[in-house]
Amino acid sequence: MARKATIERKTKETAITLALNLDSSDPSSIDTGIPFINHMLDLMAAHGFMQIQLKGRGDTEIDDHHTVEDLGICLGSALKQTLGQKEGIRRYGEATVPMDETLVRVVLDISNRPFLAYRVKFKKITTGRFDLGLIKEFFRALAFNAGITLHIDLLSGEEPHHISEAVFKAFGKALDQATRLESRLNGKPPSTKGLL
Ligand SMILES: [Mn+2]
């Protein structure tokens, strides 16, 4: 059975509808009103073998902050809902992804212990019209709403677009690994405490 969730969230700042399918690599359709984030989420979904159908609009006439943060909230909530009691999942995931001169490592634990360690520094504040500082806000919101421990490290790199792509791809790949089903668990949660 495919693991799926749909989230609808509407505030005075944003309106987002998101459907996540962890077990489909059919093409995603992502329309957030922010082209840079569409591009990043598309890469994340493709390399993480998940399908995301997303339509979102926010008060980007102010700036992209509310929209990007709320996208993280919605994706995190969808992920939490999709995984339920976390029966049979591998729980830990890790991916190191290069893009030309850039190398990014993402390590995560679907732990119900929300935490973000984000060690990524950009030499510029923006790429195109996008505020690169918002990437941290996105992953913080995602980690706290999904209940995952998330470490993102820039190991080397210069070019902001390369670094951003490597972050989102590595997250997708690490998440895919962590959410794979492990047959030796026989459907039990992957914890010696019996509960996550
Ligand atoms: Mn690109």
Side-chain angles (χ1 to χ4, degrees):
M1 199 177 79
R3 295 171 294 173
K4 301 182 199 180
T6 302
I7 299 284
E8 272 197 72
R9 186 172 187 277
K10 197 171 188 325
T11 70
K12 286 180 181 165
E13 298 170 345
T14 65
I16 296 167
T17 305
L18 184 154
L20 172 68
N21 186 338
L22 278 187
D23 298 306
S24 169
S25 51
D26 289 342
S28 292
S29 81
I30 294 166
D31 174 13
T32 68
I34 305 170
F36 181 79
I37 281 290
N38 294 347
H39 181 39
M40 293 302 132
L41 295 181
D42 211 31
L43 294 169
M44 183 190 85
H47 292 282
F49 301 101
M50 64 189 113
Q51 187 193 25
I52 296 174
Q53 288 163 296
L54 196 166
K55 176 91 180 159
R57 281 296 177 271
D59 54 4
T60 50
E61 70 281 3
I62 297 173
D63 63 20
D64 294 342
H65 191 110
H66 297 145
T67 308
V68 172
E69 186 174 18
D70 289 4
L71 287 167
I73 291 173
C74 288
L75 194 61
S77 307
L79 195 55
K80 188 173 192 117
Q81 200 175 307
T82 305
L83 292 171
Q85 296 305 308
K86 306 178 184 66
E87 292 99 340
I89 62 165
R90 295 191 65 93
R91 179 176 164 182
Y92 294 95
E94 175 171 4
T96 308
V97 167
M99 183 165 189
D100 298 350
E101 86 297 345
T102 290
L103 194 61
V104 170
R105 182 182 62 215
V106 171
V107 182
L108 62 85
D109 176 12
I110 302 174
S111 54
N112 215 13
R113 296 167 69 93
F115 194 90
L116 175 68
Y118 184 83
R119 291 171 287 259
V120 179
K121 289 254 189 296
F122 289 99
K123 293 199 167 122
K124 286 164 58 183
I125 297 169
T126 56
T127 182
R129 292 180 305 281
F130 187 78
D131 172 2
L132 291 161
L134 296 179
I135 295 175
K136 182 178 182 181
E137 301 307 309
F138 172 81
F139 282 107
R140 192 200 335 257
L142 197 165
F144 278 73
N145 284 275
I148 65 180
T149 306
L150 177 58
H151 287 249
I152 304 177
D153 286 273
L154 173 62
L155 304 180
S156 60
E158 297 283 329
E159 212 288 310
H161 193 108
H162 293 168
I163 295 171
S164 308
E165 283 208 13
V167 166
F168 280 87
K169 286 178 182 171
F171 177 77
K173 290 180 72 65
L175 183 65
D176 179 51
Q177 200 181 92
T179 56
R180 285 303 82 203
L181 295 171
E182 166 57 58
S183 62
R184 288 171 293 183
L185 284 166
N186 290 318
K188 290 195 291 289
S191 168
T192 52
K193 290 184 280 194
L195 185 72
L196 271 176

